[in-house]
Amino acid sequence: PQTQCPNEITDYKIFAPKTDDKIRVIVYVKECISVEFLDIHTPTPGISLKLRNMTASFIYNEFTSNENRIPPKKRFENLYKTLDSIQKASHNAAILGDINIHIEDENDTATKTFRDWCQENNFRQIQQENTRKDSTLHIVMIRGVTTSCQFTTNEFKSDHSATVITIGKSLNSHKH
């Protein structure tokens, strides 16, 4: 977590609220995109933005709090309270972030619970690549929108890959 404002990028707005004097989630949005900050109260750090036809939420399911490890039961309780609050905000939605669940592990109970939640709430997990070393800890879930995503190495002090998404456009060209 950072304690100072993140690097500025030309032509981008920065959303980086502090939680306990730390920045847990940073979102860059192109200046030309009209967004409204939504005040959705959730137990995990995050940012929710209202775009023209959808809501985009960015979350971090904390593994520690004040240097103390959060028990798994409490961590997952916080995560699902957050996901439930966000999914009620808009039918068309994207939820992105680090949920601290190894979603590549098909036998993990947390993974199964996460996949069940996605199915019950009509979200589709579109992120399949590893985002932290050999693990897939980040999610990119969508409902009701066309979205593409890519993962890049980043220039920030992090052991995670940056996520870049394009909403409302497809990277695939249609051939007839």
Side-chain angles (χ1 to χ4, degrees):
Q2 293 182 224
T3 55
Q4 299 177 10
C5 192
N7 300 340
E8 289 188 19
I9 300 175
T10 304
D11 299 327
Y12 282 81
K13 299 177 239 186
I14 300 173
F15 295 89
K18 286 188 176 185
T19 304
D20 297 328
D21 214 29
K22 294 180 179 141
I23 298 172
R24 300 284 193 182
V25 179
I26 302 168
V27 178
Y28 292 88
V29 179
K30 285 187 177 184
E31 287 283 349
C32 63
I33 298 174
S34 176
V35 297
E36 173 189 343
F37 178 80
L38 295 177
D39 193 12
I40 299 175
H41 298 285
T42 63
T44 61
I47 300 165
S48 290
L49 303 173
K50 176 72 175 146
L51 291 92
R52 186 177 59 198
N53 295 320
M54 65 168 293
T55 298
S57 297
F58 308 84
I59 62 173
Y60 173 62
N61 190 31
E62 295 178 291
F63 198 75
T64 60
S65 177
N66 298 324
E67 309 302 321
N68 297 315
R69 190 175 183 156
I70 299 172
K73 181 179 179 183
K74 181 67 174 170
R75 205 169 59 236
F76 297 128
E77 181 181 296
N78 289 344
L79 173 63
Y80 290 105
K81 282 182 182 177
T82 297
L83 292 175
D84 286 339
S85 294
I86 291 169
Q87 72 92 17
K88 292 175 186 172
S90 175
H91 174 73
N92 294 336
I95 303 175
L96 301 88
D98 178 353
I99 60 170
N100 275 310
I101 294 175
H102 291 268
I103 61 172
E104 74 281 356
D105 184 354
E106 300 274 336
N107 298 316
D108 184 56
T109 303
T111 300
K112 290 176 183 175
T113 303
F114 171 73
R115 290 175 192 235
D116 288 347
W117 185 93
C118 288
Q119 187 173 5
E120 289 168 14
N121 292 283
N122 298 314
F123 276 92
R124 190 167 44 97
Q125 164 67 9
I126 63 169
Q127 194 299 107
Q128 304 301 325
E129 301 172 37
N130 290 344
T131 57
R132 183 177 186 269
K133 300 177 184 173
D134 60 350
S135 300
T136 308
L137 299 175
H138 293 108
I139 56 162
V140 178
M141 303 185 313
I142 59 170
R143 176 175 69 189
V145 293
T146 302
T147 305
S148 61
C149 70
Q150 65 187 48
F151 296 87
T152 63
T153 56
N154 60 50
E155 300 172 21
F156 307 104
K157 296 176 183 168
S158 177
D159 58 347
H160 296 261
S161 299
T163 305
V164 177
I165 66 166
T166 302
I167 298 171
K169 296 180 182 177
S170 175
L171 293 179
N172 301 326
S173 60
H174 298 285
K175 295 181 181 177
H176 296 282

